[in-house]
Amino acid sequence: MDGFAKYLGRRLFQFFLVIFLGVSLAFLITNLSPVDPVEQSVALMTNFGATDPRSVELMRQALQELYGLQGSMLDQYLAFWGRVIRGDFGPSLSAFPTPVMSLIMSALPWTIGLLTLSLVITWTLGNLLGALAGYYRSNLLLKLSGAAVMALHPVPAYIIGLCLLLAFGFIWPILPISGGAQMNLQPGLTLDYLRSLIVHGTLPALTLVLVGLGSWFISMRSLVSNIVTDDHVVYAELGGVSSNKIFSQYVARNALLPQLTGLALSLGNVFGGAVITEFLFNYPGVGRLMIQGIYRGDYALVLGVTTISIIAVAVAVFIIDLIYPLIDPRVRLS
């Protein structure tokens, strides 16, 4: 119990440190951007005839207060952390006066669903194929599967997404290429709506799966290739243990431990791929929301999406860290 308490304490410290550094860096980068949301709003308003200098100055002061841009950089930084704690990032500039948090909360479930589904499929399928290819090295089908997966590995997500979009949206139009669900359907736990969710999410999820399979396949095959030469595996083979039992109990199970750590480390990269994929397929997640905010110079929206994304990835990594000792008891004693 003492070992697990120390492990939990270290992970909690890392969790809060990652959030602090990530959110602070997001604030700094956003504030160093050449786009000034206040001046952009003032310029937009003056184009409609609001040219009185006093009115413009009052408008500028009100917008600075609204977006937390008053005072020095330190004052803005402290005010920003107060907004983060309260969950209030102010109104969206591009969708004024809708609060940024409302936009994020409406888009976040779409991204969580897409990432969870694609990550589970990618991690499971990639590790399974890699483990089989590493253990049954003479199997022709596994060799061909491995070659196909490894060929897709270096291809960027947007290239694969465009190929899928052209193939199944135009050449063979059997799947929708835009949106998260059919627009004329009422959201709910109905068969039609769930079917629409699956159909619209197929191409974005397939893009992320094809992009991520290669890394899991390569790493798992390498781990299994090393484990099969260990003494306990050789002894089991000489003792007449069946190959299926050796594969599942002695080889694949031990090789999965580093892969679970890799899963936590890969969450940030997976989210980065989801941003491009959501924008490409017009999927209503936070990735598309962030790119729209960047294009429109929506300071509050970009900062809000970035902050929530950092916190969400950190929480997911922390949960995986808590699951790890349940699989490998040695961690509790370290």
Side-chain angles (χ1 to χ4, degrees):
M1 186 64 184
D2 292 339
F4 181 74
K6 292 179 181 179
Y7 174 83
L8 180 60
R10 290 196 301 267
R11 290 300 178 264
L12 278 172
F13 175 76
Q14 292 177 4
F15 170 70
F16 288 112
L17 181 63
V18 166
I19 290 179
F20 173 75
L21 294 178
V23 173
S24 299
L25 188 61
F27 170 83
L28 181 62
I29 293 174
T30 309
N31 272 265
L32 293 177
S33 169
V35 178
D36 189 333
V38 173
E39 295 303 324
Q40 188 176 16
S41 300
V42 170
L44 183 63
M45 293 298 179
T46 53
N47 288 336
F48 288 95
T51 56
D52 181 52
R54 290 185 302 172
S55 301
V56 172
E57 184 59 29
L58 289 173
M59 183 191 307
R60 182 178 287 108
Q61 293 177 3
L63 288 172
Q64 286 176 346
E65 181 180 359
L66 192 63
Y67 291 109
L69 299 176
Q70 290 178 316
S72 63
M73 181 73 76
L74 179 60
D75 295 332
Q76 296 177 28
Y77 178 70
L78 295 176
F80 169 68
W81 269 109
R83 287 172 173 261
V84 172
I85 294 173
R86 296 193 308 270
D88 177 20
F89 296 97
S92 168
L93 177 65
S94 58
F96 191 87
T98 306
V100 167
M101 204 61 186
S102 298
L103 295 175
I104 294 175
M105 294 310 295
S106 63
L108 193 59
W110 295 94
T111 298
I112 291 176
L114 177 63
L115 286 182
T116 302
L117 178 62
S118 60
L119 192 58
V120 168
I121 294 175
T122 304
W123 190 81
T124 304
L125 187 59
N127 284 320
L128 179 60
L129 287 176
L132 291 171
Y135 189 72
Y136 301 102
R137 282 169 284 188
S138 60
N139 188 287
L140 179 60
L141 182 59
L142 290 173
K143 288 183 178 180
L144 294 176
S145 301
V149 168
M150 292 173 64
L152 292 173
H153 178 56
V155 183
Y158 66 90
I159 297 296
I160 293 180
L162 283 173
C163 291
L164 292 177
L165 189 149
L166 290 172
F168 296 103
F170 295 96
I171 299 175
W172 190 26
I174 60 173
L175 291 171
I177 59 175
S178 178
Q182 193 172 328
M183 296 183 63
N184 60 350
L185 289 179
Q186 183 68 26
L189 295 176
T190 62
L191 186 60
D192 289 340
Y193 187 72
L194 293 177
R195 177 182 174 277
S196 179
L197 287 178
I198 294 172
V199 171
H200 280 76
T202 298
L203 289 182
L206 184 59
T207 300
L208 296 177
V209 168
L210 293 178
V211 169
L213 269 179
S215 59
W216 296 117
F217 176 88
I218 295 171
S219 58
M220 189 63 171
R221 187 182 63 178
S222 177
L223 288 168
V224 169
S225 298
N226 291 328
I227 293 175
V228 292
T229 59
D230 288 348
D231 292 340
H232 69 282
V233 177
V234 175
Y235 182 79
E237 291 175 346
L238 294 175
V241 180
S242 65
S243 60
N244 291 336
K245 186 173 182 180
I246 293 175
F247 171 75
S248 61
Q249 298 297 322
Y250 298 102
V251 177
R253 188 173 180 180
N254 290 330
L256 276 178
L257 295 177
Q259 295 297 81
L260 190 61
T261 304
L263 177 62
L265 297 175
S266 69
L267 289 176
N269 293 330
V270 173
F271 179 79
V275 171
I276 300 174
T277 302
E278 287 180 358
F279 184 74
L280 181 63
F281 291 100
N282 198 31
Y283 198 76
V286 294
R288 188 193 66 165
L289 197 65
M290 183 168 66
I291 293 181
Q292 288 177 345
I294 293 173
Y295 282 158
R296 297 169 183 174
D298 195 336
Y299 168 90
L301 181 59
V302 173
L303 194 53
V305 171
T306 305
T307 302
I308 296 300
S309 301
I310 291 171
I311 295 174
V313 172
V315 169
V317 172
F318 180 68
I319 292 174
I320 293 176
D321 284 339
L322 293 183
I323 295 174
Y324 196 86
L326 301 177
I327 300 175
D328 188 0
R330 295 172 295 180
V331 175
R332 306 176 217 172
L333 304 176
S334 59

